[in-house]
Amino acid sequence: MIFEVWAPKATAVEVDVLGGRRPMEQRQGGWWRADVPEAGHGTRYAYVVDGGGPYPDPRSRRQPEGIFGPSAVYDHGRFTWSDEKWTGRDLRGSVVYELHVGTFTQEGTFEAAVERLGHLSELCVDFVEIMPVAPVPGGRNWGYDGVDLYAVNETYGGPDGLKSFVDACHREGIGVILDVVYNHLGPSGNFLHPFGPYFGGFAGSFWGEAVNLDGPGSDEVRRYFIENALQWLGDYHIDGLRLDAVHALHDKRATHLLAELSAEVDALACAVGRPLSLIAESDLNDPRMVRSLDAGGLGMTAQWNDDVHHALHTAVSGETHGYYEDFAGLDVLAKVLTQGVVHDGGWSSFRGRAHGSPYTGVPGHRLVACVQNHDQVGNRPAGDRLPMPALKLGAGLLLTSPFTPMLFMGEEWGARTPFPFFSDHVEPELRDTEGGRREKEFDGFGYSWEAPDPSDEQTFLHAKLDWGELKEEAHWSLLCWYRDLIALRKALPELSDPRFDRVRVSYDREDGDWLVMWRGESVCVAVNFGTETVTLPVRASTVLLAADDNVAAGPDGLRLPPQSLAICRAVQGPDI
């Protein structure tokens, strides 16, 4: 077994393995190497750098004793895959389902999540997107405090557990997207500093120190993250990565890390013979994020689009505080449905400046949109979800829109369980101040901050989905609504068409009660947000799907009860 580690500034490095410390030989480029023939799969080891440590391997494939314990040798070749016929999934035309492994089931493991894949298959989603799985402090966490980025949280089932989950998803015809965090590492258990210049020495974001992507020594730091991405896509057969908060990546080099990563992933996709997706979470509203490399872009397959969420949320909930202030009014919802974004270079009151750029020529499938996700639920103080009536309307618009729609676990049946922020830091100073840090992060968002203690185990336990809710008629009815919407989206090409020039929107400019979205020439989605029945001059030949049994199509137009939505084959009336 050959042990290798990058430590360019060290004068001596040892590997602590099999009960003793063995000196390592310095090689070119700051790498150190030692051959230990008697070591193999499962062998515990750690590194000693200039007498300090022992530390886990920065590229540790397994941390069986957690982030403060030794690493373990992990042989990827020992796992037996059964997905040899899997040809992958294209993000275009797909529906994504986001979940957190620890709260998706009561057990909180990959193995338990496999038992629920039948539910997702019947829902007809194409991808599951799992929140980060890197080891974290303690036994519970959202995942964005991860360290040991090449390893898999043992609480969930470790590396074999993740592989079994991916294998099972592929058997169900479902692709897997993994959420990864490359803009920072967690504040606890981060042992990269002794090894090399992994960090830039300044605060990159609210969450931690900036990663060194463009300073001295950054060549190997960039490879650390790129090879991590390739590991998930290659060794774990994962179909795509969601890259957390890429706007917090500080990179002034001529070729941005994302462009370099995109080129590497494209090459890997050619080698493995299946599509591989990169989805960026970006607050920049910059269309270059999703333009191809040969068009001067960064080559991301898609990006999360918060503008769609905010416009939908405001329309169905009535909330206009904080950043929702810019999204009030059906004119804003009409703009985002027909142009992709709201902030396209104009004024953003929340930021106090102009923001964004027009997404001219960008198809809707490159923008991942939602009514709920882990951020938009979990960033509310109590982690509360939208009520069922709001979900019905929001989902009706989302799943008939030109975007790539994404659902958040439990949304499809109107789960009552909250999803607040939770963590389990080991150090008392981090544990005791976590709530205060969280409140400070959202200062100015317009919330009255009354949140459960993120360090309290009950906060985590209350976030676990209650699958028993599906036995209740109201929850089952909403699930049927989501199933029907997804089935209709897949049956009608107009509903998955990503071209914004094929979308037309009319809306009530006086009272703001109704909106009609035309998809193609003859499919319309009509919504009544108000509290009174309205009749719209839409000549509907067929009501394809309705959220209320009292929706009626007649000679005078389309009759919509309060808080209802209908999808119709229709002809646009003269007054709409």
Side-chain angles (χ1 to χ4, degrees):
M1 174 70 196
I2 295 177
F3 293 90
E4 291 182 303
V5 68
W6 183 62
K9 300 296 184 182
T11 57
V13 180
E14 301 166 288
V15 56
D16 190 337
V17 62
L18 297 173
R21 294 183 178 181
R22 309 191 186 203
M24 303 185 74
E25 178 186 358
Q26 189 170 18
R27 310 292 286 248
Q28 289 185 343
W31 285 87
W32 297 75
R33 185 179 188 273
D35 188 1
V36 184
E38 59 270 39
H41 181 79
T43 300
R44 304 290 205 273
Y45 71 99
Y47 291 119
V48 177
V49 182
D50 288 333
Y55 304 114
D57 183 353
R59 286 173 168 78
S60 172
R61 265 62 177 187
R62 191 174 177 207
Q63 288 295 121
E65 299 172 29
I67 63 175
F68 298 106
S71 301
V73 176
Y74 180 78
D75 180 2
H76 282 291
R78 292 171 64 95
F79 185 86
T80 302
W81 290 91
S82 65
D83 67 348
E84 61 277 353
K85 295 183 179 180
W86 175 251
T87 57
R89 282 281 190 187
D90 195 316
L91 193 65
R92 291 175 295 182
S94 292
V95 176
V96 182
Y97 185 97
E98 185 190 23
L99 64 86
H100 176 267
V101 176
T103 55
F104 185 57
T105 64
Q106 288 298 312
E107 298 85 350
T109 63
F110 294 121
E111 183 179 12
V114 168
E115 298 301 313
R116 296 295 181 180
L117 291 182
H119 168 85
L120 300 183
S121 182
E122 292 176 1
L123 186 60
C124 286
V125 299
D126 302 285
F127 286 95
V128 293
E129 179 178 312
I130 54 178
M131 290 171 64
V133 299
V136 293
R140 55 190 181 272
N141 198 288
W142 272 20
Y144 301 92
D145 289 325
V147 294
D148 303 312
L149 299 188
Y150 283 70
V152 180
N153 195 329
E154 292 289 322
T155 303
Y156 296 159
D160 282 354
L162 175 56
K163 288 180 177 180
S164 295
F165 176 78
V166 174
D167 205 35
C169 284
H170 289 172
R171 288 197 300 271
E172 291 283 349
I174 299 172
V176 180
I177 298 167
L178 176 64
D179 197 340
V180 293
V181 185
Y182 294 155
N183 58 74
H184 76 288
L185 275 78
S188 178
N190 175 9
F191 297 113
L192 290 183
H193 278 284
F195 289 93
Y198 282 93
F199 300 96
F202 61 93
S205 68
F206 185 88
W207 314 291
E209 191 176 359
V211 174
N212 173 26
L213 299 177
D214 52 12
S218 60
D219 286 357
E220 286 294 349
V221 176
R222 293 165 77 95
R223 291 307 308 173
Y224 175 81
F225 292 106
I226 289 172
E227 289 170 12
N228 178 264
L230 298 179
Q231 171 197 251
W232 300 122
L233 300 171
D235 294 327
Y236 284 89
H237 295 201
I238 283 170
D239 302 283
L241 302 176
R242 182 262 188 185
L243 308 171
D244 179 65
V246 299
H247 50 270
L249 296 172
H250 290 256
D251 185 2
K252 297 181 180 179
R253 289 171 63 156
T255 300
H256 194 280
L257 174 72
L258 295 181
E260 189 176 345
L261 176 60
S262 177
E264 293 273 9
V265 170
D266 283 349
L268 180 60
C270 292
V272 299
R274 56 188 171 90
L276 301 174
S277 300
L278 293 174
I279 304 171
E281 181 201 16
S282 173
D283 188 47
L284 302 176
N285 272 26
D286 185 350
R288 290 175 296 180
M289 188 67 62
V290 293
R291 296 201 193 282
S292 63
L293 295 177
D294 55 9
L298 295 177
M300 298 293 99
T301 312
Q303 71 168 71
W304 273 25
N305 186 344
D306 282 346
D307 283 15
V308 177
H309 167 270
H310 298 344
L312 286 172
H313 181 91
T314 300
V316 301
S317 73
E319 292 184 353
T320 58
H321 63 271
Y323 49 62
Y324 292 132
E325 179 182 352
D326 289 343
F327 297 87
L330 294 185
D331 57 328
V332 178
L333 180 57
K335 178 179 180 179
V336 81
L337 290 172
T338 55
Q339 298 180 36
V341 296
V342 173
H343 288 134
D344 55 5
W347 178 256
S348 166
S349 63
F350 181 74
R351 296 174 178 87
R353 59 171 174 80
H355 183 68
S357 182
Y359 276 63
T360 306
V362 175
H365 67 74
R366 293 195 177 277
L367 302 173
V368 177
C370 66
V371 178
Q372 296 187 137
N373 63 33
H374 77 269
D375 272 335
Q376 303 303 338
V377 175
N379 288 348
R380 300 171 69 84
D384 52 308
R385 299 167 177 257
L386 284 171
M388 288 189 192
L391 282 175
K392 263 197 171 182
L393 301 186
L397 280 170
L398 174 69
L399 289 165
T400 58
S401 73
F403 308 102
T404 294
M406 185 179 74
L407 315 180
F408 182 58
M409 62 176 196
E411 169 189 331
E412 70 274 21
W413 75 75
R416 289 188 294 253
T417 48
F419 190 76
F421 182 73
F422 50 81
S423 61
D424 186 27
H425 286 296
V426 177
E427 295 91 336
E429 62 274 18
L430 289 175
R431 172 182 289 273
D432 295 342
T433 59
E434 185 78 301
R437 285 196 304 276
R438 188 69 172 164
E439 181 176 0
K440 183 179 178 182
E441 181 179 354
F442 291 95
D443 183 38
F445 276 55
Y447 290 128
S448 175
W449 199 265
E450 297 179 3
D453 181 359
S455 300
D456 187 343
E457 185 180 14
Q458 290 302 310
T459 303
F460 165 68
L461 294 177
H462 289 158
K464 289 179 177 284
L465 288 181
D466 178 7
W467 288 84
E469 289 178 335
L470 284 170
K471 297 178 182 178
E472 300 177 29
E473 184 176 353
H475 292 287
W476 179 256
S477 176
L478 185 61
L479 174 61
C480 291
W481 172 243
Y482 271 79
R483 286 178 175 176
D484 289 345
L485 282 169
I486 295 173
L488 190 62
R489 179 181 180 87
K490 292 179 181 293
L492 296 181
E494 295 94 332
L495 296 184
S496 58
D497 190 333
R499 295 171 290 184
F500 288 110
D501 62 354
R502 303 296 178 93
V503 183
R504 292 170 291 134
V505 175
S506 303
Y507 58 92
D508 181 0
R509 298 176 183 274
E510 295 182 4
D511 301 317
D513 285 343
W514 56 263
L515 177 143
V516 178
M517 174 174 63
W518 291 88
R519 303 289 275 121
E521 295 300 322
S522 63
V523 177
C524 79
V525 183
V527 193
N528 180 7
F529 296 101
T531 58
E532 302 291 336
T533 297
V534 297
T535 299
L536 305 179
V538 173
R539 295 192 293 274
S541 60
T542 307
V543 176
L544 301 170
L545 189 62
D548 190 300
D549 292 339
N550 294 314
V551 169
D556 296 330
L558 183 65
R559 182 176 180 273
L560 289 177
Q563 297 289 297
S564 66
L565 179 147
I567 305 165
C568 309
R569 285 279 185 196
V571 177
Q572 184 171 352
D575 301 323
I576 197 168

